[in-house]
Amino acid sequence: MPECQVRLLSKEDVDALLTEEDVISTVEAVFRGCAAGRVTQTHPEMLFADEGRENMFMPMPALLQERGVAGLKWVNMFGRQQPGYPAMFGHLIILNSPENGGPYAIVEGTAITNRRTAGGHAVAAAKVLARPDARVMAVVGCGSQGRQGLNAFLPRYPLEEVRLYDRFPAAAEALAAGASARCPGVRFTVCEAPRAAVEGADIVLTATTSKETLVEGGWLAPGSFTAALFHFNDLDWRYARACDKWVLGLREADYGSILHNKDVLAKGADLKPGEEYGDLSDVLTGRLPGRTRADERILYTHMGMGALDVALADVVFRRAVETDRGQLFRFA
C-alpha cells in the first residue's frame, strides 16, 4: 500500500506563511472559479448538539478542480458555550488529493477563517464596489474579524478617520491604540454607539456575532459601501431593498444562510431569490458592472464558503513544503 503522509500546520504556521496579498488574490480566484463552474461545494448542513439549537457543528466540503485540491472545513459555533471557551473553538481544514483520495494536510482553520473573511472577501468586494477615494471607515465589532479587516483596508484606501464600536469598549480601545501606532496620520475614534460610527462613513464593516440588529439602513450615507460579514444578523435586513445594489458573495452559498436563519426570519425578513443585484463572481468576471456612480449605496453580504478556506489552506501547505514547516506523520 502506498505511504500516506500528512502535514500538520498550526496557527503559527498559517500566520507565518500566508500574506494579505495571498489571501485577496486567492479569494478572487475562487470566486472566478465558481463562476466558471470549476468549484464544487455543498450547502453546509447544520448539526445541532443541543435541544435549544444554539450549539452546532457544520461540515463545509469543497472541490477546486483548477487547484487540484479537495477539502473539508470542520466548523463549530456554540452560542451557549461553556465558561472560558470562545464561541468558535478549534476549526480544522482537511486537504485531500482528487487524484488518489489521500489526505495530505490538516490545517488550523480559525486563523484562515479570520484572514479570508474581513481581510479577504470583504476587501475583494470593496475593490469593485467601494469608492476608491473613501476617507471615513466604520468598524462595528472589534474582535479578530474587525482587526483583520481594518489591517487589510488601511493600506488600500486614503482613510483619514476610522470609527470603532464594540459592545466591549476595551476591545475598540485596544484596536484603536494598536492601529494608531502604525498609522499616525489616521484619526481613530472609539464610539459609544453603532450609529455614531456608521453615519457618514464611506466604508462600513460589520464584524460581530450579534443576533440583534446593530446597524440601521437609514444611517448609511450616499456613496457608501457596506460589508456585512454575518448577513442580516446585526444589520437591518430592509437595507437590502433600500440600497442601490445588494451584492451577495455567491448566490447558492448565501441564500441558504439567509432563508434558513431563524434569527433573521424572526425579525420579519422575507427576502427572496432574485432581489439581489448579483453576486461577487458576476462582478469579478465582468458579467455585471460593480460601482457605476459615486453616490450609489452598495451592500455586500457574505458569510464565507468552504472553498475559500480549502484554497487558502492549500496555499499554506505549499509554502510549508517549500520551507519545511509543520509536523509530518504517517497516516497509513
Side-chain angles (χ1 to χ4, degrees), residues 4-10 13-14 69-73 92-97 100-109 112 309-310 312-321 325-329 331:
C4 182
Q5 189 169 257
V6 177
R7 189 176 295 263
L8 296 177
L9 296 165
S10 68
D13 295 322
V14 172
V69 57
L72 172 72
K73 181 182 179 183
L92 296 174
I93 303 170
I94 304 168
L95 303 182
N96 293 70
S97 167
N100 55 41
Y104 61 85
I106 299 175
V107 186
E108 198 279 333
I112 287 179
D309 303 273
V310 170
L312 286 168
D314 187 59
V315 172
V316 173
F317 167 77
R318 293 170 190 262
R319 293 270 171 79
V321 171
R325 286 190 70 114
Q327 300 180 36
L328 293 173
F329 77 96
F331 189 76

Side-chain angles (χ1 to χ4, degrees), residues 28-297:
E28 291 174 337
V30 170
F31 277 105
R32 292 190 180 100
C34 290
R38 302 286 293 172
V39 175
T40 304
Q41 53 190 340
T42 61
H43 181 71
E45 183 71 25
M46 299 178 184
L47 310 175
F48 290 98
D50 63 328
E51 292 183 359
R53 298 170 70 87
E54 295 288 335
N55 301 337
M56 70 173 185
F57 297 94
M58 190 164 60
M60 302 172 68
L63 171 63
L64 294 90
Q65 297 176 21
E66 291 176 339
R67 296 194 68 88
V69 57
L72 172 72
K73 181 182 179 183
W74 182 234
V75 185
N76 61 77
M77 298 181 186
F78 276 42
R80 192 179 299 277
Q81 182 58 286
Q82 294 179 355
Y85 288 85
M88 294 179 283
F89 183 51
H91 295 179
L92 296 174
I93 303 170
I94 304 168
L95 303 182
N96 293 70
S97 167
E99 296 181 356
N100 55 41
Y104 61 85
I106 299 175
V107 186
E108 198 279 333
T110 304
I112 287 179
T113 298
N114 291 338
R115 298 284 292 278
R116 65 89 157 131
T117 307
H121 65 77
V123 175
K127 287 171 63 176
V128 290
L129 300 175
R131 294 197 339 259
D133 62 344
R135 296 289 195 274
V136 180
M137 180 176 182
V139 179
V140 179
C142 298
S144 57
Q145 290 287 350
R147 182 173 60 254
Q148 293 285 354
L150 180 59
N151 290 341
F153 274 92
L154 277 169
R156 290 174 171 81
Y157 292 89
L159 296 174
E160 298 172 354
E161 181 183 10
V162 175
R163 305 170 188 164
L164 305 168
Y165 169 80
D166 195 280
R167 64 173 177 157
F168 300 110
E173 291 165 1
L175 182 55
S180 61
R182 297 191 307 273
C183 304
V186 180
R187 182 170 71 257
F188 293 88
T189 304
V190 175
C191 300
E192 294 183 357
R195 185 169 188 168
V198 168
E199 280 190 326
D202 303 313
I203 294 174
V204 177
L205 179 70
T206 63
T208 82
T209 58
S210 175
K211 295 179 181 179
E212 298 179 5
T213 300
L214 300 177
V215 177
E216 301 289 342
W219 304 343
L220 300 164
S224 62
F225 164 75
T226 302
L229 304 182
F230 204 22
H231 280 313
F232 300 104
N233 287 273
D234 53 7
L235 175 71
D236 180 8
W237 67 270
R238 298 171 185 83
Y239 186 61
R241 289 178 177 161
C243 63
D244 296 286
K245 289 174 180 171
W246 171 32
V247 180
L248 297 170
L250 195 69
R251 287 181 185 84
E252 309 90 87
D254 288 328
Y255 259 115
S257 301
I258 296 170
L259 300 179
H260 299 99
N261 187 321
K262 63 182 178 65
D263 298 302
V264 176
L265 294 175
K267 299 175 185 179
D270 62 349
L271 296 168
K272 299 176 179 62
E275 293 193 58
E276 78 283 358
Y277 168 72
D279 65 21
L280 188 55
S281 67
D282 291 325
V283 180
L284 289 176
T285 56
R287 294 194 298 214
L288 288 174
R291 176 174 290 274
T292 55
R293 301 194 323 271
D295 65 345
E296 283 183 305
R297 290 184 176 91

